[in-house]
Amino acid sequence: MALFDYTLEGESGHARAGSFETAHGTAHTPMFMPVGTLATVKGITPDQLHEIGSQVVLANTYHLSMRPGADLIAEAGGLHSFMQWDGPILTDSGGFQIFSLADTVKLDDDGVNFASIYDGAKIRWTPEDNMDIQQKLGADIIMQLDQCAPYPATREFVERAVDLSAAWAKRCLAAHTREDQALFGIVQGGMHLDLRLKSVNALREIGQASAEAGHKDFQGFGIGGYSVGEDHDVMFETLGDVARALPSNKPRYLMGVGNPTTLVRAVREGVDMFDCVLPTRTARMGTAFSSKGRMNMRNAKFKRDFEPLDATCTCPVCSKYSRAYLRHLVKSGEMLGGILLSIHNLHYLLDLMRRAREAVLAGAYEDFYEEWMASEGADDY
RNA sequence: GUGGGUAUAGUUCAGUUGGUUAGAAUGCCAGAUUGUGGCUCUGGAGGUCGUCGGUUCGAGUCCGAUUAUCCACC
């Protein structure tokens, strides 16, 4: 089996279980990927990431290219060596950051001009520039440069983003050379099903034409442009059709989605991979995921609660620390509070996807789904 | 003991020549957070203005007494 070839190991309804090889180990789907934008999952060491069952870890091209710079990371031997994470890494292209962070973005057919949020430096990226940077960073999976339309946006705006993203997808694929890296195309199209399908078809054609010419194909697909402010149910009006329009022999990655119920629902629609800052960001602000829903650990009701965070949880935090102690840490602004809650929240999502995978392999995803939706915490998300 | 200062929200303080419902910061209570510019953001509760008395149409504000506390000097 060649690197990155996706093996479909089981199906249950539309839900899928599969795996693919990277140069840094096998990834099993469905899976959640912890986000480590600046080559670190904030507050968590690589050993701890392993301990809670992390597979792929994310890093961000936009941020790393400006600080400390792609050349420095290449000089360090690449991201794996630099951050001492020996598992798979995925770098987001930074397209999302360009459009969500910068206030002065100028697009043209050939590329994009924007100002660095770090020092205001004027930067220009073509798709080729972006591929060059991501190949220097050396992640196992890299994402095409794309344009993520905001929500709400006019249909015309979204369609232009679809067309531009497709044009850039083609150029990213042509510029992609490293054999030990997989390139994912990204589907755009906002909440319009026809534009989504147009985006999917464009990517499929681009990949096929490239492969027929003896070059690479996309080895997976990101589904971008969701979770940009719309109600959760709006995404599910189109997500299933979009996911299933993608090739069944490639992993499907719903970008930026991380609340537990949405993951369980999206797996049911045929999505394989997720990433999100939600578990770690909310952890730093004092929120914990649990089998009974979200818990705000700052709440006074935990002041004298010496029980573990979640009695059903097997994570290293729940096996040792009490709610009262965690509340104390969070209330005191101690960094250990955010660290411990991050470990717990990541474990929660990693474990949720591990259980989802088992359910698919057992051919019982619908039972798993219904059990989840009926559970105490489901409607809390 | 003498002289002077201070006393307003849990805390540190602001409050005009006396004038509507006495403010801020912080703390407290709660909510938010979705391809990470976030020690962040949004709400809420909380004060018989040390106490007693007086002046005045009206006192956190002026006067007297008293209590507490700080400083200086004996």
Side-chain angles (χ1 to χ4, degrees):
Chain A
M1 188 59 82
L3 222 49
F4 303 116
D5 282 355
Y6 178 78
T7 305
L8 188 60
E9 297 167 323
E11 284 181 284
S12 179
H14 295 307
R16 297 141 47 96
S19 62
F20 59 87
E21 295 293 326
T22 77
H24 295 87
T26 310
H28 301 280
T29 68
M31 71 170 160
F32 177 80
M33 305 182 285
V35 177
T37 303
L38 285 162
T40 165
V41 179
K42 294 187 193 303
I44 305 187
T45 66
D47 284 344
Q48 291 170 315
L49 288 174
H50 276 306
E51 186 183 3
I52 57 177
S54 306
Q55 301 189 68
V56 179
V57 168
L58 251 73
N60 188 276
T61 305
Y62 179 99
H63 293 285
L64 290 174
S65 70
M66 288 175 222
R67 193 164 66 192
D71 288 331
L72 185 143
I73 289 173
E75 192 181 325
L79 267 177
H80 295 87
S81 167
F82 187 52
M83 68 184 284
Q84 288 296 299
W85 171 249
D86 57 8
I89 297 174
L90 181 154
T91 44
D92 187 18
S93 65
F96 183 83
Q97 280 66 34
I98 292 175
F99 297 103
S100 67
L101 298 181
D103 34 59
T104 52
V105 180
K106 283 185 89 172
L107 267 177
D108 55 72
D109 287 344
D110 191 49
V112 57
N113 292 309
F114 59 96
S116 162
I117 55 162
Y118 291 94
D119 58 6
K122 294 185 180 358
I123 297 171
R124 176 175 178 77
W125 275 358
T126 62
E128 292 78 14
D129 293 332
N130 185 263
M131 283 297 102
D132 184 48
I133 294 169
Q134 292 200 67
Q135 293 186 101
K136 280 180 184 168
L137 294 176
D140 299 276
I141 302 170
I142 64 179
M143 304 301 296
Q144 72 152 103
L145 186 66
D146 68 329
Q147 182 189 1
C148 180
Y151 180 86
T154 65
R155 184 191 162 84
E156 290 67 31
F157 188 96
V158 174
E159 185 157 24
R160 280 202 300 276
V162 166
D163 293 341
L164 185 70
S165 295
W168 286 0
K170 185 175 182 178
R171 288 168 56 182
C172 284
L173 193 55
H176 174 223
T177 55
R178 276 182 68 159
E179 290 300 324
D180 59 347
Q181 288 186 311
L183 173 65
F184 281 25
I186 300 179
V187 181
Q188 290 292 340
M191 310 305 148
H192 307 278
L193 182 58
D194 61 325
L195 294 184
R196 285 276 172 190
L197 296 178
K198 179 185 181 184
S199 180
V200 168
N201 289 331
L203 290 172
R204 293 187 73 144
E205 284 168 19
I206 289 163
Q208 199 176 341
S210 175
E212 283 170 5
H215 191 64
K216 292 165 174 290
D217 194 351
F218 297 114
Q219 277 134 326
F221 295 91
I223 302 171
Y226 283 123
S227 274
V228 285
E230 79 280 11
D231 287 339
H232 291 183
D233 283 336
V234 173
M235 174 174 78
F236 284 101
E237 289 170 10
T238 51
L239 180 64
D241 290 331
V242 173
R244 295 188 292 275
L246 287 163
S248 60
N249 63 343
K250 303 278 172 73
R252 305 159 180 168
Y253 161 31
L254 179 57
M255 306 180 76
V257 168
N259 85 54
T261 294
T262 308
L263 260 58
V264 170
R265 291 179 69 186
V267 167
R268 185 163 173 262
E269 300 294 346
V271 174
D272 308 304
M273 301 161 63
F274 307 88
D275 82 283
C276 194
V277 301
L278 193 66
T280 43
R281 176 182 288 171
T282 58
R284 293 196 302 281
M285 301 302 154
T287 298
F289 292 164
S290 85
S291 57
K292 297 185 192 304
R294 285 198 208 193
M295 294 165 67
N296 186 340
M297 294 314 294
R298 290 173 306 176
N299 286 174
K301 62 185 172 186
F302 301 124
K303 191 169 186 175
R304 295 172 181 283
D305 187 340
F306 300 105
E307 297 301 306
L309 196 56
D310 188 343
T312 69
C313 178
T314 57
C315 88
V317 175
C318 289
S319 68
K320 283 188 179 173
Y321 305 101
S322 69
R323 293 170 173 178
Y325 180 60
L326 292 168
R327 174 178 193 270
H328 160 69
L329 292 178
V330 169
K331 292 290 286 182
S332 306
E334 282 294 333
M335 64 172 87
L336 187 59
I339 292 170
L340 294 179
L341 290 184
S342 291
I343 291 171
H344 168 82
N345 283 354
L346 286 175
H347 174 275
Y348 184 83
L349 290 185
L350 292 163
D351 190 60
L352 180 66
M353 290 298 94
R354 200 154 41 224
R355 282 154 48 209
R357 177 179 157 83
E358 282 168 17
V360 174
L361 291 174
Y365 194 76
E366 204 57 22
D367 294 339
F368 176 82
Y369 169 79
E370 280 169 18
E371 194 179 320
W372 170 267
M373 293 307 280
S375 72
E376 249 179 295
D379 54 355
D380 196 30
Y381 298 105

